[in-house]
Amino acid sequence: MSTFQDLQLLSDAAYYDRCNYVNYNVDNILKETDKLKDGIYHAKAGNREVPLFKILMTNQCNNDCAYCTNCMKHKYQRAHIGPDALARIYMQYYENNIVEGIFLSSGIIKDADRTMEEMNHAAYLLRNKYSYKGYIHLKVIPGASKDHIKHAMQLADRVSINIEAATKDGLSDLSSTKNYDKDILKRLDWIDRLHKKNHSLASSGHTTQIIVGANEENDEDILNRIDYLKKKYNVLYNYFSSFRPIKGTPLENHEACDNKRTGRLYQMEYLFSKYNFTKKDIVLDDNGFLDLNNDPKYNIALENMDKYPLDVNTAKYKELIKVPGIGLKSARRITHLQKIGRKINNLKQLQELGVNINQCKIFVKVGGSYQSTLL
């Protein structure tokens, strides 16, 4: 195959590794389309899209992850691109203003350490041969040595290691070649300890990913795990990838995950990260799943109606951000008006501050009373 064909094959194989944080708006993931072409992935960064060169070193692998297109049992075309060629091609993209950063992952080249050596060497060439100062995200391979992980963190702005499942049994259902505690959680602990000791190592933090819907784990299992990962290992983001059956893999006949489910998990993760919600706040059905039809923040508020309505002219910031329809920015605007002594007298004024009136109106008092219409 030509280098271009290898590039396309390896960029296609990288599709399922997430590096794009889907925020509080579930519509972001419901509208998600194939954003990867010729190694270029358009990730969200605030209000703009950032083109990343997103690729695998190889789609060869000796792991048997049942959900993965690169599973060793999957009979399809394999490719490998070396560190020198990868660094050279990336710099061509970068110097022509096609991309602004690189996300590099890989299947397994012989073993975890050999794979990390190649990935690290590609990053080393970028930093030293090409004097590249831009963004690098390196995937840590489960089972890699501490020295290789530290070297990756010296070279990369961000590193990640995919835990893939929320529980040890959940991973066992998907792979017989990965040890949840030893190969993944132990490495995540190393990453966290190395970063705490020297914040210049992977200075933008570390992340992980869970495959949603490939096993019997429910949302409670997943949310318990991400809460643990944040507290125990200071994981910056937990990415979720909706399971999609791939022909020729062991789970080719398994039902695909509803993107709404993944979207609700992202929303709940965002509430943990930015809105000070905790595990105790989560509202689940009898089977341990989030409501697909309603925003989890709305359902949590309904479960706590004894706390409402809040008077928007006296409520504290930490109370306001838990009201459906009131975001971080609008809560700050409301509390700013409180500080300067300006009253909010009707829903229209509240709406002008960026509040979603339809979501919040049953949870707030404006001008001393409920208002169901704009005045």
Side-chain angles (χ1 to χ4, degrees):
M1 285 194 299
S2 68
T3 301
F4 176 80
Q5 289 173 316
D6 285 344
L7 182 70
Q8 186 61 61
L9 193 62
L10 294 172
S11 65
D12 289 345
Y15 175 76
Y16 296 96
D17 258 321
R18 291 290 182 239
C19 59
N20 190 20
Y21 190 63
V22 179
N23 67 22
Y24 192 49
N25 185 354
V26 71
D27 291 337
N28 287 349
I29 195 164
L30 298 182
K31 294 176 182 176
E32 185 177 39
T33 57
D34 186 0
K35 299 179 180 179
L36 190 61
K37 184 178 180 181
D38 299 338
I40 304 170
Y41 184 88
H42 294 276
K44 281 281 188 181
N47 294 321
R48 73 185 191 100
E49 287 193 343
V50 177
L52 296 178
F53 189 76
K54 186 165 177 274
I55 197 165
L56 304 184
M57 294 289 301
T58 184
N59 60 0
Q60 300 165 12
C61 200
N62 57 18
N63 283 324
D64 63 354
C65 304
Y67 55 85
C68 185
T69 188
N70 303 316
C71 171
M72 65 180 182
K73 297 178 181 179
H74 188 197
K75 292 180 172 58
Y76 85 120
Q77 196 167 23
R78 306 286 177 162
H80 172 240
I81 188 167
D84 291 277
L86 181 62
R88 184 179 67 253
I89 292 168
Y90 173 72
M91 288 307 299
Q92 291 172 357
Y93 276 65
Y94 180 73
E95 289 171 351
N96 284 284
N97 297 315
I98 298 171
V99 294
E100 296 181 24
I102 182 170
F103 177 100
L104 181 58
S105 185
S106 187
I108 306 299
I109 307 165
K110 293 187 177 180
D111 58 41
D113 280 345
R114 169 65 185 277
T115 305
M116 289 300 302
E117 283 177 10
E118 289 214 8
M119 293 172 66
N120 287 347
H121 188 52
Y124 176 85
L125 290 172
L126 289 174
R127 295 296 193 209
N128 293 278
K129 181 177 180 179
Y130 296 101
S131 300
Y132 173 68
K133 305 297 183 185
Y135 179 78
I136 296 178
H137 181 148
L138 290 179
K139 185 68 65 177
V140 171
I141 304 300
S145 71
K146 193 173 185 178
D147 285 343
H148 283 105
I149 292 173
K150 183 177 181 180
H151 192 203
M153 294 176 71
Q154 289 169 337
L155 294 163
D157 298 277
R158 177 170 293 170
V159 297
S160 57
I161 182 168
N162 292 353
I163 65 168
E164 310 295 22
T167 63
K168 187 186 300 187
D169 289 343
L171 184 64
S172 295
D173 290 340
L174 301 176
S175 174
S176 67
T177 55
K178 291 180 181 176
N179 183 294
Y180 198 71
D181 292 329
K182 182 180 177 182
D183 293 335
I184 299 174
L185 293 186
K186 185 176 182 179
R187 270 65 188 174
L188 197 52
D189 184 57
W190 286 349
I191 292 168
D192 184 43
R193 290 175 183 272
L194 286 165
H195 181 71
K196 283 178 179 176
K197 190 173 181 179
N198 183 350
H199 287 294
S200 69
L201 299 179
S203 60
S204 292
H206 46 281
T207 65
T208 191
Q209 174 178 284
I210 292 176
I211 306 296
V212 181
N215 54 28
E216 298 303 313
E217 293 171 345
N218 60 23
D219 293 345
E220 185 173 18
D221 293 325
I222 294 172
L223 292 169
N224 282 339
R225 176 58 64 183
I226 67 172
D227 180 71
Y228 173 80
L229 294 176
K230 283 183 179 293
K231 292 176 179 176
K232 178 72 173 177
Y233 304 120
N234 296 292
V235 170
L236 182 64
Y237 293 134
N238 291 271
Y239 294 107
F240 303 109
S241 182
S242 298
F243 169 76
R244 293 288 177 268
I246 298 170
K247 188 175 181 180
T249 62
L251 292 181
E252 64 178 351
N253 295 316
H254 190 82
E255 183 180 359
C257 175
D258 188 337
N259 265 353
K260 282 187 179 180
R261 180 185 174 194
T262 308
R264 296 303 179 200
L265 286 167
Y266 267 117
Q267 285 184 309
M268 198 65 237
E269 203 270 356
Y270 198 66
L271 293 179
F272 285 164
S273 298
K274 304 296 184 182
Y275 286 75
N276 300 322
F277 284 83
T278 68
K279 283 196 306 180
K280 294 179 181 178
D281 296 312
I282 304 170
V283 176
L284 302 163
D285 66 18
D286 292 340
N287 296 313
F289 291 92
L290 294 167
D291 182 356
L292 294 185
N293 297 313
N294 287 311
D295 183 332
K297 188 179 180 185
Y298 188 84
N299 283 345
I300 291 169
L302 287 178
E303 286 289 311
N304 293 276
M305 285 303 294
D306 57 308
K307 298 178 181 179
Y308 301 105
L310 286 179
D311 188 328
V312 295
N313 289 309
T314 59
K316 296 178 181 178
Y317 175 81
K318 66 180 181 180
E319 296 172 318
L320 288 168
I321 62 173
K322 296 198 173 183
V323 176
I326 299 181
L328 303 178
K329 289 182 180 178
S330 53
R332 285 195 290 269
R333 291 170 185 149
I334 292 168
T335 53
H336 173 70
L337 292 181
Q338 292 174 1
K339 289 176 183 177
I340 63 175
R342 286 181 56 186
K343 295 282 188 181
I344 298 169
N345 297 310
N346 54 58
L347 290 177
K348 185 175 182 180
Q349 288 179 313
L350 204 55
Q351 187 178 51
E352 289 170 352
L353 296 174
V355 174
N356 185 321
I357 299 303
N358 289 330
Q359 289 186 20
C360 84
K361 62 187 178 183
I362 67 170
F363 303 105
V364 297
K365 284 194 296 185
V366 183
S369 62
Y370 282 116
Q371 294 187 49
S372 59
T373 59
L374 295 178
L375 296 176

